[in-house]
Amino acid sequence: MSPRIFRLLCNVGAARFIAPLLLLSLLAETKVAAQDFWQQTSGPYGGKPTALAINSNGHIFAGFYRNGIFRSIDNGGSWIQVNTGLTNTEVWSFAFNGNGHIFAGTGGGIFRSTDNGDSWIPVNTGLNGREASSLAINSYGHIFAVTYGWDGGIFRSMDNGASWLPVKTGLPSGISILSLIINSSGHIFAGTYQGGIFRSTDNGDSWISVKTASAVGWDYVETLAINSNGHIFAGTDESGILRSLDNGVSWTTVYTGKYVKDLIINSTGYVFAATWNEGVLRSTDNGDSWVAVNAGLTNTDVGSLAINASDQIFVGAIEGIFSSTDNGGAWTLSNAGLTNTDVQSLVISSNGFIFAGTRDLGAFRSSDEGDNWIPVNNGLTDRWIRSFIINTTGHIFAATYIGFYRSKDNGDSWLPVDTTLGVSSFVINTSGHMFAGTYDGGVFRSKDNGDSWISVNTGLTISRGH
């Protein structure tokens, strides 16, 4: 489960002790009195889902890396965690069969729920606990699973997941499969890493190549989608979006950008693409042209898409899950109860403000002991906060992978004071001199509130941080 923020409530009367510069850290083991306990604070909420899917009842399932599964039964208005029986919480994929059973592909194999996610059981016979990254189910209820590992590939279950057998004939040895989709004729398409696209017309018994790898040879075919006319769209890391109008026989590049992570098509044939660096793209003419539709999105790093029967679209972003009811014209955040933020650092200022540094979501501030949090990211171009420190004048310093930032107004705004040092930790001595531990450059010191830094590595034989 991803780290989140908890507070220790101690029954010791009204006494509270807060040091002016209190740095909090997670302890491996802490002894407290019987009446002491931990209470989760109200956020910060968010986190980028690794999988999104919607069942026939309109219930939304969101899978996260190391935080399991969340479910919303009110169109994303609120979320609850549904991990009972889920022994591996690295969730990568979902699929639903005609009986309403849900299958979740995880880092520890496949799990099945027959009660809408309330409980899960492993269904891994023949998979040996392999990581299942993609799932697809055909009209007969046969399940196809993509697995990782030296002996991974594509597996098929014809008994609702009770047992699995490999279906590899025609697939190159050792090839990595990334995505699967099945068309209305039952033909299966598999996107690969460095191997192009393969097709099976006999329920997975044999495969043929229908799109070889690009000349560069480094393409990830991350995602596949098929519209009502049988046109196939393939999203890649390097070659943009490809389209086939003839069941995979020939392919045309219809978008030349990079890092296409997911594709989905609505009932009117509009195609939506989730990308790593351009947000959500939309095509209303079968892929011939594309426009960015990002109004309301606070970050253009998005990675998963889902759509319900009313054509409401949901997208997974760094800040959590956004939804749109107007084909991407505007997006609103739908995060209530979605407690998946990876908190990496905490600090408390002398005026009682708590600052939380997160992985990908940037900085948050609470003025009421964690009951409420607001993002304070104005000026922060890097949102991965590894550590905080506050000096005696109340200036806050935030360390990130690309350097560090300083705020003189309680986090309302930030200015970079270095964009070359990858800082992992801070400390300040009684003279106000700052010391920064970096990833590759060792230790640096500043005597002027971070305006300039010099290396102080004499005698330090190992300079690489963590």
Side-chain angles (χ1 to χ4, degrees):
M1 182 174 293
S2 298
R4 299 195 290 272
I5 298 176
F6 290 74
R7 57 187 177 189
L8 180 62
L9 303 183
C10 304
N11 187 15
V12 292
R16 293 183 181 178
F17 302 93
I18 301 179
L21 302 177
L22 178 59
L23 291 174
L24 303 182
S25 60
L26 298 177
L27 303 180
E29 181 175 316
T30 304
K31 290 185 178 180
V32 296
Q35 66 268 32
D36 300 343
F37 64 96
W38 288 94
Q39 178 189 66
Q40 187 175 344
T41 68
S42 300
Y45 292 154
K48 185 177 180 181
T50 49
L52 279 176
I54 303 175
N55 68 10
S56 59
N57 295 321
H59 298 169
I60 313 169
F61 292 82
F64 290 87
Y65 176 62
R66 291 194 294 185
N67 207 24
I69 298 170
F70 285 76
R71 180 185 66 203
S72 173
I73 60 174
D74 56 3
N75 260 354
S78 61
W79 299 84
I80 62 169
Q81 197 171 43
V82 286
N83 283 345
T84 300
L86 199 68
T87 57
N88 188 290
T89 54
E90 298 177 8
V91 181
W92 299 108
S93 56
F94 291 110
F96 308 97
N97 69 11
N99 297 321
H101 297 173
I102 312 167
F103 296 84
T106 76
I110 298 172
F111 291 78
R112 182 182 65 208
S113 174
T114 59
D115 54 9
N116 204 38
D118 288 336
S119 62
W120 300 86
I121 61 169
V123 285
N124 287 317
T125 301
L127 291 178
N128 298 323
R130 296 180 180 91
E131 180 175 329
S133 60
S134 184
L135 296 168
I137 301 179
N138 68 12
S139 59
Y140 299 104
H142 300 166
I143 314 166
F144 296 84
V146 168
T147 65
Y148 284 152
W150 69 270
D151 58 348
I154 300 176
F155 287 74
R156 180 181 66 202
S157 174
M158 303 173 71
D159 53 11
N160 207 37
S163 61
W164 299 84
L165 289 173
V167 284
K168 297 182 178 181
T169 302
L171 293 173
S173 177
I175 195 169
S176 295
I177 313 294
L178 301 178
S179 51
L180 282 178
I181 200 164
I182 303 174
N183 70 11
S184 59
S185 300
H187 299 171
I188 314 167
F189 295 83
T192 73
Y193 166 56
Q194 291 189 326
I197 300 170
F198 290 78
R199 181 184 67 204
S200 173
T201 60
D202 55 7
N203 206 37
D205 289 333
S206 63
W207 300 82
I208 62 169
S209 172
V210 293
K211 172 62 177 175
T212 59
S214 68
V216 177
W218 287 98
D219 260 349
Y220 292 69
V221 182
E222 296 270 10
T223 180
L224 294 162
I226 300 176
N227 69 12
S228 59
N229 295 320
H231 301 166
I232 311 166
F233 295 84
T236 75
D237 254 23
E238 295 291 335
S239 297
I241 299 173
L242 311 177
R243 181 186 66 198
S244 175
L245 306 177
D246 53 10
N247 205 39
V249 174
S250 61
W251 296 82
T252 303
T253 299
V254 293
Y255 170 71
T256 56
K258 293 185 178 183
Y259 310 121
V260 179
K261 297 301 180 183
D262 203 3
L263 290 166
I264 201 163
I265 302 171
N266 73 5
S267 63
T268 60
Y270 291 2
V271 190
F272 296 86
T275 73
W276 187 4
N277 57 357
E278 294 187 68
V280 179
L281 304 176
R282 181 185 67 203
S283 174
T284 61
D285 53 9
N286 204 39
D288 289 335
S289 62
W290 298 82
V291 296
V293 285
N294 293 327
L297 292 180
T298 53
N299 194 292
T300 55
D301 181 358
V302 296
S304 51
L305 290 164
I307 192 165
N308 66 16
S310 302
D311 277 344
Q312 183 175 359
I313 312 166
F314 298 85
V315 62
I318 286 178
E319 290 83 357
I321 297 173
F322 291 77
S323 66
S324 174
T325 58
D326 58 0
N327 287 317
W331 298 90
T332 58
L333 191 61
S334 303
N335 269 356
L338 199 63
T339 52
N340 188 51
T341 305
D342 189 343
V343 178
Q344 306 224 328
S345 55
L346 290 167
V347 70
I348 300 178
S349 67
S350 58
N351 55 13
F353 287 162
I354 310 171
F355 294 86
T358 70
R359 176 173 177 168
D360 295 328
L361 299 184
F364 288 78
R365 183 181 66 206
S366 174
S367 59
D368 54 8
E369 295 191 326
D371 287 335
N372 295 280
W373 296 84
I374 61 170
V376 284
N377 290 322
N378 183 29
L380 282 176
T381 56
D382 183 11
R383 300 292 178 87
W384 191 331
I385 311 297
R386 294 303 306 269
S387 61
F388 282 119
I389 200 165
I390 304 176
N391 67 14
T392 54
T393 60
H395 296 170
I396 312 166
F397 294 83
T400 76
Y401 271 113
I402 64 171
F404 53 92
Y405 297 78
R406 180 179 60 208
S407 175
K408 298 181 179 181
D409 53 10
N410 284 313
D412 288 336
S413 62
W414 301 83
L415 288 174
V417 289
D418 185 274
T419 57
T420 60
L421 300 176
V423 181
S424 59
S425 57
F426 276 131
V427 70
I428 298 178
N429 67 14
T430 55
S431 300
H433 300 166
M434 299 173 59
F435 298 84
T438 69
Y439 293 102
D440 295 298
V443 179
F444 286 75
R445 181 184 65 206
S446 174
K447 295 183 177 181
D448 55 7
N449 204 33
D451 289 332
S452 63
W453 295 82
I454 62 170
S455 173
V456 285
N457 284 329
T458 302
L460 191 64
T461 56
I462 299 176
S463 61
R464 182 173 179 84
H466 60 81

